[in-house]
């Protein structure tokens, strides 16, 4: 065979896959062609191991305009002729190798996915995972990633409004960097990425093409990596200024009727951009690589087609409109070149001048083999779940110290050190800044607002992937509800290890099942997403970490809600809860007792009732504050509402059973709310109507948080731990 | 009155200024492309925030060569009002319309947060409606806001009351802790000697609606509107 094993390795194709290509093509492919197959059949582009599982997720609702896989991002209708466009993507391996540029180009990629659709990006979010900050390398990675996100997003003028960050040993060698972007567009002006219409032209715009990023999709994103140095050249360097120009020019172009489509160049560069957009319309394409402007001399057709140079877009221009389109790009000082055209023969033909260097039916390239490996419930999981929790000491007298320790731990402490480095206000929409349950943006010209959050708990999913993933959906929805928003749609990013291993595949399969159950029960569709597999180093996979980005709608921006206690003398209630306090799988169990074990739990029907009740109460103006109980349990939720509101609380309820379970256990479906005393009756009635448990906890006010017989802490002391915990861990 | 908002490649506060002045304060507002040279018909020119030319080389160092900047110089020389916000302040310093320079923040990190500003001089067109010593809450968002000038320049600025805003505590004290970027003398905003060109790092256009956290930025824009519509136009009207 003319293609060596070394080349196959480079593009991450197996020999079986190679044989399949020869069989389907009816001949041996040449080097350029094998590059095309390697990219499009990669895990990153082809979803070989996940496609069949992803079909389980619900994708429809009356609001869904664009479902997964149809375009570069999903879209939902928010009324008034407007829609929200969103997507999340990982840039884990590039960030592990070069944290600043890896994270920066991750932001660049996801922003392109949004403005490609003709939507103006209005928000960025990120979900980050690192190893413990006690290790210098993790501090370097964390600082670099935050710097990269700030460097790119700030320059683009897109506010970073919400996010989450966790630290755990499992992510030490393989951090997770998931970036989400949200845009807004007029429904009728959404731009397609379909390359259709024989004779229409392919125009490449933006940066010149260089050798950077070769094999990013196949090599970096689709298998495990051991030697970071040899892969460093596969990480690109971002140019946010150029992307800002591209964005403004493309949004200007979207207002015209000069184009039939827009497609960004991301993973697998020109190959994936041109072939996937032609495939969506069943067309064919001709590309002349000699017309692609180069950054370097002597590049081969193979290199031009696989380069992942950043800040490039492909416009599918109506024949005859090319001069008008070029004029728009010229105004923004952007280089643009016609590099090919659309045909109707279903073939991709790549030429270098007059010489044909590749000719393949597009359908072959976009239908990779799909795998469904064996899934097996791992024996180690059973052991972890069986952890004897009665053997964990409940040190009742140390509750105050434990609360301070939790508040100061980087997983729970305020993330202000991070988000003050991100411009979270530009575009003047940010109504609730980062730091509450969800970020809230008003929609200019209307009474509406959208709430945004991103959630996931790798430890829960490690201990029970199905339930942990249900919880990720439930918690994201709960965060939106606490802001007064009705959840509308999900974008997800599934971060897992090597799916060819039966226990990892089990995690992936169970996780998608759990997400599906929660989506169905809560009635929220998934409209876009990304799968990142092979997140492992030296055989050790990261915790299975599905991350859920969610958008919700607030009909009246004056009726939004935050976690801060608002008024002294208000009554504090705990809404919801299954009445099964438990320290299983909790942050407390890991931080204080050094144990990861037990099983998370959620009753999705109860969750739905709690969320409906809370939303109704907020909309009716009954509730003054709402805060979801999550990491660190009830005590942390109360402390955060106190700190945010600048006032204490006197707890009056009687604790019983294990104090640590009651205060720090992470039982789901619970929301801490405060109401003015006259509204308490209305809340009780509403809870009864929804058949949701409601427990009176105490009264806001004073400068201390007291929980009867259990703990008493000064507000200032709690605030100091919570506000400075992360910064102190960085020194 | 009519505001002109300059748009350089990489500018992003242009749209925010347009919203706050046009939609919130109901003024006539127009964008001015950086290659345009005609500023006639405008009463006040705004150089908004952003990353003009990616902040490459040095913040504002490339934008100062944009064709529109020579028109801005003439506009300022004619006594009309110019306000540079954030990157606009940096461009004004680079172009020599204001003295000094904005260096990298002392802590070498980007900062986006609300800060407090003390009004040091309410006798210029940009602060007429504020009380002397009034404390305003306005957000900052920058990596390079650390104001620096040599001793002689600094003494001159202070002696001529050209420092308009200083970073302070919520109570109005000028302290090291309330200085978010290391600026000399806690300087947040200055005017030129003639008092018609203001440069400031904080973003008043982000503080124009209660919904977004505060309205103190309006005081600055309303001062400008008041100056132009009642005082300046009032002067030329026959009695």
């Amino acid at each position: 065979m003319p293609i060596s094993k070394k080349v196959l390795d480079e593009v991450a194709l197996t020999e079986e896959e190679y044989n399949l290509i020869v069989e389907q093509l009816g001949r041996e492919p040449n080097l350029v062609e094998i590059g095309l197959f390697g990219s499009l059949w990669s895990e990153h582009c082809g979803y070989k191991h996940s496609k069949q599982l992803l079909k389980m997720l619900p994708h429809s609702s009356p609001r869904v305009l664009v479902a997964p896989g149809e375009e570069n991002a999903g879209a939902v209708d928010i009324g008034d002729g407007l829609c929200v466009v969103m997507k999340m993507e990982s840039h884990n391996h590039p960030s592990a190798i070069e944290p600043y540029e890896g994270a920066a180009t991750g932001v660049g990629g996801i922003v392109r996915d949004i403005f490609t659709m003709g939507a103006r990006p209005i928000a960025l979010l990120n979900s980050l995972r690192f190893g413990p900050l006690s290790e210098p390398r993790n501090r370097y990675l964390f600082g670099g990633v935050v710097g990269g996100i700030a460097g790119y997003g700030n320059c683009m003028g897109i506010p970073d409004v919400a996010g989450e960050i966790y630290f755990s040993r499992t992510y030490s060698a393989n951090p997770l960097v998931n970036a989400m972007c949200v845009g807004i567009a007029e429904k009728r002006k959404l731009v397609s990425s379909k390359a259709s219409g024989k004779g229409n032209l392919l125009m490449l715009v933006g940066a010149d093409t260089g050798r950077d990023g070769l094999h990013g999709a196949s090599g970096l994103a689709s298998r495990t990596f051991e030697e970071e140095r040899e892969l460093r050249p596969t990480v690109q360097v971002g140019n946010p200024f150029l992307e800002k120009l591209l964005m403004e020019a493309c949004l200007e172009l979207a207002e015209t009727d000069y184009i039939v489509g827009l497609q960004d160049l991301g993973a697998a560069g020109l190959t994936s951009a041109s072939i996937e957009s032609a495939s969506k319309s069943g067309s064919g394409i001709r590309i002349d690589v000699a017309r692609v402007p180069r950054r370097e001399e002597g590049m081969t057709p193979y290199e031009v087609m696989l380069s992942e140079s950043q800040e490039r877009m492909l416009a599918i221009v109506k024949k005859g409109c090319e001069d008008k389109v070029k004029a728009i790009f010229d105004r923004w000082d952007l280089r643009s070149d016609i590099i090919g055209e659309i045909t109707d023969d279903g073939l991709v033909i790549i030429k270098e001048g007059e010489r044909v260097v590749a000719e393949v039916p597009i359908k072959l390239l976009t239908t990779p083999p799909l795998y469904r490996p064996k899934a097996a419930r791992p024996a180690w999981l059973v052991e972890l779940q069986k952890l004897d929790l009665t053997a964990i000491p409940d040190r009742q007298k140390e509750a105050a110290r434990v609360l301070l320790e939790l508040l100061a731990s980087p997983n729970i402490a305020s993330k202000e050190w991070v988000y003050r480095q991100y411009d979270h206000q530009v575009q003047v929409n940010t109504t609730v800044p980062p730091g509450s349950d969800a970020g809230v943006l008003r929609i200019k010209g209307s009474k509406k607002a959208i709430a945004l959050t991103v959630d996931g708990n790798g430890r829960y999913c490690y201990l029970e992937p199905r339930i942990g993933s249900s919880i990720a959906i439930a918690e994201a929805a709960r965060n939106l509800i606490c802001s007064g928003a009705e959840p509308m749609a999900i974008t997800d990013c599934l971060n897992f290890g090597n799916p060819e291993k039966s226990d990892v595949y089990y995690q992936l399969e169970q996780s998608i099942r759990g997400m599906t159950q929660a989506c169905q029960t809560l009635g929220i569709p998934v409209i876009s997403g990304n799968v990142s597999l092979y997140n492992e180093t030296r055989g050790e996979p990261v915790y299975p970490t599905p991350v859920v980005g969610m958008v919700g709608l607030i009909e009246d921006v004056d009726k939004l809600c935050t976690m801060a206690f608002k008024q002294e003398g208000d009554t504090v209630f705990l809404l919801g809860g299954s009445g099964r306090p438990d320290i299983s799988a909790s942050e407390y169990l890991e931080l204080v007792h050094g144990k990861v074990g037990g099983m998370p739990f959620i009753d999705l029907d109860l969750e739905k009732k709690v969320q409906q009740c809370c939303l109704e109460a907020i909309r009716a103006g009954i509730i003054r504050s709402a805060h979801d109980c999550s990491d660190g349990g009830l005590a942390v939720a109360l402390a955060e509402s106190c700190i945010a509101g600048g006032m204490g609380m006197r707890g009056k309820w009687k604790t019983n059973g294990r104090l640590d379970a009651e205060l720090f256990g992470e039982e789901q479906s619970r929301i801490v709310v405060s109401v003015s005393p006259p509204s308490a009756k209305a809340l009780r009635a509403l809870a009864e109507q929804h058949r949701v448990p409601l427990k009176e906890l105490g009264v806001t006010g004073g400068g201390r948080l007291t929980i009867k017989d259990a703990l008493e802490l000064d507000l200032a002391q709690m605030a100091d731990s919570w506000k400075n915990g992360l910064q102190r861990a960085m020194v | 009155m009519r505001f002109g908002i300059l748009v350089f490649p990489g500018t992003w506060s242009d749209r925010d200024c347009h919203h706050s002045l046009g939609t919130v304060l109901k003024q006539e507002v127009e964008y001015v492309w950086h290659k345009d040279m005609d500023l006639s018909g405008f009463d006040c020119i705004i150089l908004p925030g952003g990353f003009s030319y990616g902040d490459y080389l040095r913040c504002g160092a490339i934008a100062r060569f944009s064709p529109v900047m020579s028109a801005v110089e003439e506009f300022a020389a004619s006594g009309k009002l110019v306000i540079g916000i954030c990157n606009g302040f940096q461009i004004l310093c680079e172009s020599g319309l204001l003295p000094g320079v904005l260096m990298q923040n002392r802590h070498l990190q980007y900062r986006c947060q609300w800060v407090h500003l003390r009004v040091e001089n309410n006798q210029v067109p940009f602060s007429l409606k504020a009380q002397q010593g009034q404390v305003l809450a306005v957000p900052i968002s920058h990596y390079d806001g650390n104001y620096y000038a040599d001793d002689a320049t600094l003494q001159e600025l202070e002696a001529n009351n050209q420092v308009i805003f200083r970073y302070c505590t919520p109570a109005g004290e000028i302290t090291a802790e309330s200085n978010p970027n290391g600026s000399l003398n806690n300087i947040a905003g200055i005017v030129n000697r003639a008092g018609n060109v203001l440069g400031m790092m904080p973003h008043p256009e982000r503080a124009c609606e209660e919904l977004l956290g505060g309205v103190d930025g309006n005081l600055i824009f309303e001062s400008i509107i008041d100056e132009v519509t009642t005082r300046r136009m009032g002067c030329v009207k026959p009695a």
Side-chain angles (χ1 to χ4, degrees), chain A residues 492-511:
Chain A
D492 60 13
C493 193
L494 308 178
N495 305 275
F496 288 77
N498 177 353
E500 295 156 45
K501 295 179 179 171
S502 66
D503 51 351
V504 171
Y505 194 73
Y506 170 83
Q507 292 172 330
L508 181 63
E509 186 179 27
Q510 289 296 308
S511 173

Side-chain angles (χ1 to χ4, degrees), chain A residues 120 154-157 239 241 244 331 333 417 420-428 430-431 442 444, chain B residues 9 11-12 15-16 19 33 35 51 53-54 56 109-112 114 139 141 205-206 209 211-212:
Chain A
R120 179 169 283 278
N154 294 348
C155 183
M156 291 287 297
N239 180 350
F241 169 60
K244 163 82 168 145
R331 193 173 103 89
D333 300 327
W417 183 87
R420 72 183 181 194
Q421 297 186 55
Y422 302 152
D423 192 329
H424 48 265
Q425 302 170 321
V426 62
Q427 300 192 17
V428 289
T430 310
T431 310
R442 60 97 177 263
K444 288 190 191 104
Chain B
T11 296
W12 43 235
R15 296 162 59 86
D16 296 356
H19 171 81
W33 188 240
K35 290 176 185 168
F51 286 65
Y53 294 95
Y56 296 146
Q109 278 186 358
Y110 198 94
R111 273 293 181 283
C112 176
W114 285 83
S141 183
E205 78 282 4
R206 294 186 183 187
E209 293 170 88
L211 186 64
L212 305 181

Side-chain angles (χ1 to χ4, degrees), chain B residues 12-231:
Chain B
W12 43 235
S13 269
D14 46 343
R15 296 162 59 86
D16 296 356
C17 289
H18 199 285
H19 171 81
S20 294
L21 286 164
T23 308
V24 181
L25 293 170
K26 312 261 183 272
Q27 299 300 305
E28 272 185 71
V29 198
E30 239 177 81
Y31 293 120
V32 181
W33 188 240
H34 66 112
K35 290 176 185 168
D36 291 349
M37 304 279 288
D38 182 9
L39 298 179
S40 60
F42 292 111
D43 302 297
C44 175
I45 289 295
I46 297 182
L47 288 81
F51 286 65
S52 61
Y53 294 95
D55 276 356
Y56 296 146
L57 184 58
R58 209 169 52 235
C59 305
I62 303 177
R64 66 160 290 207
F65 293 108
S66 277
V68 77
M69 285 310 293
S70 53
V72 171
E73 273 174 47
E74 285 171 30
F75 188 86
S78 74
K80 289 186 177 170
L81 304 183
V82 175
I83 164 168
I85 298 165
C86 196
N87 191 223
F89 186 10
Q90 294 160 345
I91 298 169
L92 290 175
C93 288
E94 285 289 339
S95 64
L97 283 166
L98 288 173
V101 66
L102 283 313
M103 305 195 304
Q104 289 188 340
N105 294 345
R106 193 177 38 194
H107 43 69
L108 299 181
Q109 278 186 358
Y110 198 94
R111 273 293 181 283
C112 176
Q113 66 190 52
W114 285 83
V115 297
H116 291 93
L117 306 177
R118 192 169 79 188
V119 177
E120 300 290 281
N121 175 358
N122 71 345
Q123 298 301 306
V124 293
F126 309 98
S127 55
L128 286 170
K129 293 192 74 151
Q131 303 293 317
Q132 185 75 12
Q134 188 175 344
V135 176
L136 311 179
V138 181
I140 54 165
S141 183
H142 59 246
Y143 195 104
D144 303 78
N146 180 359
Y147 184 80
Y148 178 84
D150 59 56
D151 286 343
T153 308
L154 205 59
Q155 275 173 23
E156 203 181 312
L157 280 174
E158 296 287 1
N160 298 325
N161 294 320
Q162 285 171 254
V163 177
I164 308 302
F165 304 114
R166 252 187 257 276
Y167 300 110
C168 66
T169 65
E173 296 146 309
I174 308 298
T175 64
E177 292 71 40
S178 59
N179 185 340
N181 51 29
S183 289
L184 287 178
N185 296 9
N186 281 39
I187 287 173
I190 56 170
V191 290
N192 61 347
R193 188 69 195 268
N196 67 322
V197 177
L198 170 76
M200 63 187 293
M201 285 314 294
H203 288 269
E205 78 282 4
R206 294 186 183 187
C208 297
E209 293 170 88
E210 286 293 358
L211 186 64
L212 305 181
V215 293
D216 288 354
N218 284 337
L219 216 55
I220 295 168
F221 295 128
E222 282 165 357
S223 295
I224 297 172
I225 296 163
D226 205 39
E227 160 81 7
V228 172
T229 53
T230 59
R231 295 174 195 237

